[in-house]
Each structure stands twice: as C-alpha cells, then as structure tokens.
Amino acid sequence: MIWEDFLNSLWHDWRGSGASEDRLEHAAWRQQFWAKHGSDDALAPEPSPAELSELRRLRDELRRLTLAIVDARRESLPLAASALEPLQAALRAAPFHLELELEASERPLGEVGFRLERRPLASDWQAVRCRVAAAYADMLAAGRAERLRVCDNPDCKWIYYDETKNRSKRYCDDKACGNLLKVRRFRERARQQPKN
C-alpha cells in the first residue's frame, strides 16, 4: 500500500540498536518508491527542498494520526476530530481529476464493471503526496482503521495493515520482530529462574 510504504520511510532498527534512518533523504529509496507508486514516468524527479519538507511533514503527521488511532482503539477512547486536520489539509491540496474506466475482468456477457480512478494533474512529488493522503483517507473511510497496527516490538515502530482474518497480528514480521521478542522473553525468564 502506498501509504504504508510512505509511513515506513522513517526506519528504526528493530534489533534495538537505537539507529534510525529517514529514507526520504535517499535518492535510491525515492526512485524505488516512485517506480512502485509514482507515475508512468520512468525516473523520479528530484524533489525540491520544499517538497521534501512537505513529504516529511505529511509522513510525520500521518504517523502521529496512526498512533492516535491505535491508542484510541486500545484505550476505548474517542478520537478527537482535530487529529484529522493535517490529513484534511493534505486532501484539500489534491490536484486531480476523476476518470471512469471499464474494468478488465472476465464477466459474463452483458455485465460491465466500472472503476472510478483519480488521475493527478501533474507528475511530481506533490501529486504523490496527495495520492498518499487520499489512499490513507480511503482506508479510514472504508472503516478499516481497526486494522492499523504498530509493531509490538518497541524498537521497530513499523506501521502496518493487519490483513489477518482474526485481526490479531502483533508484529510487522513474525520471523524478525516476533522471534526476537520471543527469544528476549525466554532469556529474561531463564535469568529469573533460581539456579540450583
């Protein structure tokens, strides 16, 4: 998902070293993100310092909103409407037009499928920023906020969408963060066991 990849461009070392990295700063990461989520243009344009600042601001605001949503759900508290304001501001800046397309699917004769697509008016980082905000807002509007998660590994901070049937996923990656914390708990219990 575009919003998930974007929010996790702020990387934290899940192993606990305390290291972190802002991948928006790296041209190689931006090129990879552009190729996956940008436009039909092969090469990502170099963002201006102002565009890079706006991208970081949106990422930080969406991360704060995600944490507020997760905390509100965990504590059974209402979410303040003011928490949505940064997302609302990004959506208001969205320069796009709507296009109706026929769905390419194998449907029985006589049935036609349609899909409404948002097409950006420009192919730049501002358009990508708006697509991220729109995709995140679509997820919230579809009633899927209860599937937002932050990895239970306190060192990781990875934000993800829980696609499990019972919505019980605790770690971004069970083989990495899940195993790491399982080993840490085991070692802690072993240290607390009295030695004979």
Side-chain angles (χ1 to χ4, degrees), residues 11 15 18 21 27 38 41 53 62 64 67-68 70 90 105 111-112 118 129 136 150-152 157 161 169 173 177 190:
W11 175 85
R15 293 173 301 251
E21 178 180 43
D41 297 342
S53 177
L62 289 181
R64 275 192 291 277
L67 293 173
V70 168
S105 64
E111 287 186 32
V112 178
R118 285 177 264 205
R129 183 177 167 271
Y136 190 89
V150 178
C151 184
D152 274 3
K157 300 177 178 71
Y161 184 81
K169 189 171 177 178
D173 185 337
C177 288

Side-chain angles (χ1 to χ4, degrees), residues 98-167:
L98 297 172
E99 215 171 272
L100 188 63
E101 294 182 349
L102 288 172
E103 281 188 338
S105 64
E106 297 180 19
R107 294 175 176 258
L109 194 60
E111 287 186 32
V112 178
F114 297 97
R115 179 178 61 241
L116 190 60
E117 287 288 327
R118 285 177 264 205
R119 302 278 184 219
L121 296 177
S123 181
D124 58 10
W125 285 102
Q126 173 66 15
V128 170
R129 183 177 167 271
C130 293
R131 286 188 53 223
V132 167
Y136 190 89
D138 281 344
M139 179 267 305
L140 294 178
R144 298 192 183 113
E146 77 277 354
R147 291 190 176 268
L148 279 175
R149 301 282 186 273
V150 178
C151 184
D152 274 3
N153 177 353
D155 296 316
C156 180
K157 300 177 178 71
W158 196 264
I159 292 172
Y160 63 95
Y161 184 81
D162 182 0
E163 296 187 44
T164 61
K165 192 172 188 174
N166 64 1
R167 300 174 185 161

Side-chain angles (χ1 to χ4, degrees), residues 13-42:
D13 183 10
W14 57 274
R15 293 173 301 251
S17 72
S20 64
E21 178 180 43
D22 183 352
R23 293 182 171 167
L24 279 175
E25 297 291 329
H26 303 292
W29 185 90
R30 290 192 307 264
Q31 183 61 48
Q32 180 184 11
F33 183 84
W34 184 269
K36 186 174 179 183
H37 301 294
S39 73
D40 296 332
D41 297 342

